[in-house]
Amino acid sequence: LWRLGYCAKLLKTNHFRTAASNTSFPAVWMLLAQHSGRIPGLFVVKKNTFFTMPETVEDKTNPELYLPHPGVRGMTLLNREAFKRTVVVPALKVKKEIVHSVLKSLKQSVLQRPGLKRVVEDPEDEDRRFVILDPHKVPEFSLGESEQQALKQLNVHPEVSKYQLELTYENFKSEEILRAVLPEGQEVTSGFSRVGHIAHLNLRDHQLPYRHLIGQVIMDKNPGITCVVNKTNIIDSTYRNFEMEVLAGENNLVTKVKENNISYELDFSKVYWNPRLSTEHGRIVALLKAGDVLFDVFAGVGPFAIPAAKRKCRVFANDLNPESYSWLLHNCRLNKVDTKVKAFNMDGRDFLRGPVREELSKELLLLKEGQKTAFHVVMNLPALAVEFLDVFRHLLVGEPCSPAALPTVHCYGFSKHSDPARDIQERAEAALGTSLAGRCSTFLVRNVAPNKEMLCLSFQIPADVLYKRPCPDEAKPASKRLCTSQDSSEEKVLS
């Protein structure tokens, strides 16, 4: 909170005071970046498989240094040769024997741009080399007093030469290339998810005419990526996969990924996989202990089920998508947990009313006093999972077990509400028919889109929701009695 307050103070002092000057968001961002070094922990970059191409600040000292040839504007079919250009940069001509010493003495002034050589041969003198300097640090082609003193100690004349540096496609960054190609004023920042050898984009409408060029640039600039795809429609809520177009590279969407030290193989075009959820998968699995039971209602290819089995939990995993079910079985074998995971290819409701109810009915009856087995139900289908919670109403028949043994549900959902935690709790309460006040916790998983959050609601199923007491006329010996279960269409004849 102190850090956020500090930032707010900076913004208010430096920018809001001059609101009439129409301060832009990039300027505000740069102010924060300038002061972030004084605020420990303010900007924490977490290693993940989501990559972004950030905005590049315009180079006021030498605006041409990091810009491709202006003739590439509007290009839709990549022509790498068209990006060539020559710029004039400062350089020192020194004897080749002392190049290392000069680099060490002028390390703050030497050109540091990746992909560009700092030392180049002098075509007119094989005994000398040009040391390329950073034009930002050596404005007006003149060294500062401290640099001149350092060179004097090495017996090097401090005269700065003008060197013609050739820049090619290989020397430019992704965002620099795209900024030069797309129409001026249009957003060029584009993030992508990496799934094995596949880069997955969500391009905006104005970027679509350049999609094949964008795909090729991303593949060129990111080693290991051999296929770039763009999502072409929203996720199918039934099977959680989506149509995609291959923009560049090989048309091979069967890939291998590694998450939390576990390998998975999958066909990215036919199953759901989101690398942004790796932290959430790890968070839930960390709650489990050896001997616990996990029911994974929408298991996908196994990112909850397989690590849980690795922790010596008993796992029941289900997915309606036949492709996901097939890859789930494959990944269980791949990770040698196929004997610890029982897999099902069923509708989520049928899975809860069938295998889950059967296992809970058996396990909870056999649970001994003091036994610490915990039961967890994961429902990771954010678009619909909350609607499945009504299945838990009177799912079991009999007397409630120990409150400590009641299953814990981890239900995921999306919310566009101004108070997303309250929204998802109220929707869950409506489905369960009871209040969860003081009996649940809400975890913000990630921001999916502007004003759209993904959350996880965790709670133990209340006993009065999960259990249906036996019919009051059950003691009558000779008569046949009807008892309505949790499903209004299901009748049980007790005699």
Side-chain angles (χ1 to χ4, degrees):
L1 289 175
W2 176 84
R3 293 165 182 159
L4 291 174
Y6 185 90
C7 290
K9 184 177 179 181
L10 287 173
L11 292 174
K12 182 177 180 181
T13 303
N14 293 276
H15 289 271
F16 295 168
R17 183 171 54 193
T18 57
S21 66
N22 190 27
T23 303
S24 64
F25 176 77
V28 177
W29 177 255
M30 288 308 298
L31 175 69
L32 289 176
Q34 291 167 8
H35 290 272
S36 63
R38 305 183 201 168
I39 313 172
L42 175 62
F43 295 105
V44 179
V45 180
K46 189 167 186 179
K47 185 178 179 182
N48 208 329
T49 48
F50 178 69
F51 301 82
T52 59
M53 297 183 292
E55 298 286 337
T56 302
V57 179
E58 184 180 358
D59 183 351
K60 299 293 185 182
T61 306
N62 188 343
E64 294 184 346
L65 182 60
Y66 302 143
L67 296 180
H69 193 282
V72 301
R73 180 77 66 190
M75 179 187 294
T76 56
L77 184 63
L78 183 61
N79 176 8
R80 297 175 182 83
E81 290 296 314
F83 286 82
K84 283 185 178 179
R85 74 178 309 167
T86 301
V87 295
V88 179
V89 296
L92 280 174
K93 182 184 282 191
V94 301
K95 294 179 180 179
K96 65 180 182 181
E97 301 86 48
I98 62 170
V99 164
H100 179 73
S101 299
V102 171
L103 290 174
K104 188 175 181 180
S105 298
L106 300 183
K107 60 182 178 181
Q108 299 299 325
S109 302
V110 174
L111 184 66
Q112 301 290 342
R113 185 170 173 85
L116 288 179
K117 292 182 178 180
R118 296 181 296 172
V119 180
V120 295
E121 294 182 356
D122 182 352
E124 299 178 354
D125 189 345
E126 62 179 17
D127 293 327
R128 292 184 177 271
R129 299 289 185 269
F130 280 109
V131 175
I132 310 300
L133 304 177
D134 189 338
H136 303 123
K137 307 291 179 60
V138 188
E140 307 299 329
F141 293 83
S142 178
L143 289 169
E145 185 64 30
S146 60
E147 288 88 353
Q148 291 188 34
Q149 287 297 326
L151 292 176
K152 186 176 181 180
Q153 294 179 7
L154 296 172
N155 294 319
V156 176
H157 193 276
E159 181 182 359
V160 178
S161 304
K162 293 184 178 181
Y163 182 83
Q164 292 195 341
L165 180 66
E166 185 180 70
L167 300 175
T168 67
Y169 172 83
E170 286 70 26
N171 300 132
F172 297 111
K173 300 176 185 178
S174 299
E175 67 271 18
E176 293 167 343
I177 293 172
L178 298 182
R179 185 185 301 281
V181 168
L182 269 66
E184 290 187 81
Q186 289 194 358
E187 181 187 4
V188 300
T189 302
S190 179
F192 64 91
S193 299
R194 183 163 184 170
V195 183
H197 68 277
I198 303 168
H200 168 221
L201 307 177
N202 290 322
L203 295 180
R204 301 191 177 184
D205 289 344
H206 72 272
Q207 297 170 328
L208 292 178
Y210 308 91
R211 62 190 185 277
H212 294 291
L213 180 144
I214 293 171
Q216 189 63 54
V217 170
I218 288 176
M219 194 166 70
D220 289 346
K221 299 297 180 178
N222 294 274
I225 289 180
T226 58
C227 176
V228 182
V229 300
N230 181 47
K231 186 171 96 172
T232 58
N233 69 351
I234 61 173
I235 294 175
D236 184 323
S237 59
T238 305
Y239 288 163
R240 293 195 295 174
N241 55 0
F242 44 78
E243 295 296 325
M244 59 183 71
E245 177 186 11
V246 176
L247 303 182
E250 59 184 353
N251 190 3
N252 174 21
L253 299 178
V254 175
T255 187
K256 186 171 185 176
V257 297
K258 197 164 188 177
E259 179 182 275
N260 300 327
N261 296 317
I262 295 177
S263 295
Y264 302 87
E265 293 180 354
L266 53 101
D267 185 334
F268 189 55
S269 66
K270 296 180 180 178
V271 305
Y272 179 80
W273 180 268
N274 191 337
R276 297 181 183 94
L277 296 179
S278 62
T279 301
E280 180 61 12
H281 296 151
R283 184 183 74 88
I284 295 297
V285 172
L287 302 175
L288 308 177
K289 297 179 177 62
D292 286 352
V293 180
L294 174 68
F295 300 103
D296 194 350
V297 185
F298 312 106
V301 299
F304 286 112
I306 292 172
K310 288 278 190 181
R311 291 176 75 95
K312 299 182 179 178
C313 297
R314 289 189 295 118
V315 179
F316 296 78
N318 171 74
D319 203 281
L320 177 64
N321 182 355
E323 288 288 338
S324 294
Y325 171 72
S326 176
W327 286 106
L328 171 63
L329 293 175
H330 173 81
N331 288 315
C332 286
R333 291 190 295 268
L334 180 67
N335 290 281
K336 298 179 172 57
V337 294
D338 47 307
T339 60
K340 299 177 183 178
V341 178
K342 291 186 178 179
F344 302 85
N345 180 209
M346 307 172 67
D347 175 77
R349 288 181 179 274
D350 295 335
F351 175 64
L352 289 168
R353 289 173 175 157
V356 174
R357 177 167 60 180
E358 180 182 343
E359 191 65 21
L360 285 176
S361 299
K362 180 177 64 176
E363 289 288 333
L364 294 178
L365 281 175
L366 298 175
L367 208 60
K368 297 178 181 178
E369 189 69 28
Q371 194 168 335
K372 295 183 179 180
T373 300
F375 300 88
H376 292 262
V377 183
V378 173
M379 305 176 69
N380 184 20
L381 183 63
L384 297 172
V386 174
E387 299 176 16
F388 285 72
L389 292 177
D390 65 300
V391 177
F392 291 112
R393 300 173 74 168
H394 298 169
L395 183 67
L396 305 181
V397 176
E399 291 297 322
C401 65
S402 166
L406 290 168
T408 297
V409 173
H410 308 282
C411 181
Y412 292 84
F414 294 132
S415 177
K416 294 183 178 180
H417 197 275
S418 58
D419 187 347
R422 187 183 72 182
D423 174 49
I424 193 171
Q425 179 178 328
E426 289 178 349
R427 286 157 51 202
E429 290 173 337
L432 293 168
T434 192
S435 172
L436 293 176
R439 298 192 285 186
C440 68
S441 63
T442 305
F443 182 81
L444 178 60
V445 177
R446 70 185 189 95
N447 176 257
V448 178
N451 302 316
K452 184 178 181 181
E453 309 290 347
M454 177 179 175
L455 305 99
C456 176
L457 180 72
S458 296
F459 60 92
Q460 274 194 301
I461 309 174
D464 57 341
V465 173
L466 183 62
Y467 283 91
K468 175 178 176 60
R469 298 296 180 92
C471 293
D473 60 346
E474 187 176 1
K476 298 179 182 179
S479 61
K480 293 184 177 179
R481 299 171 296 276
L482 294 179
C483 180
T484 304
S485 72
Q486 83 291 340
D487 184 349
S488 59
S489 65
E490 181 185 36
E491 293 184 336
K492 291 185 176 180
V493 180
L494 305 177
S495 56

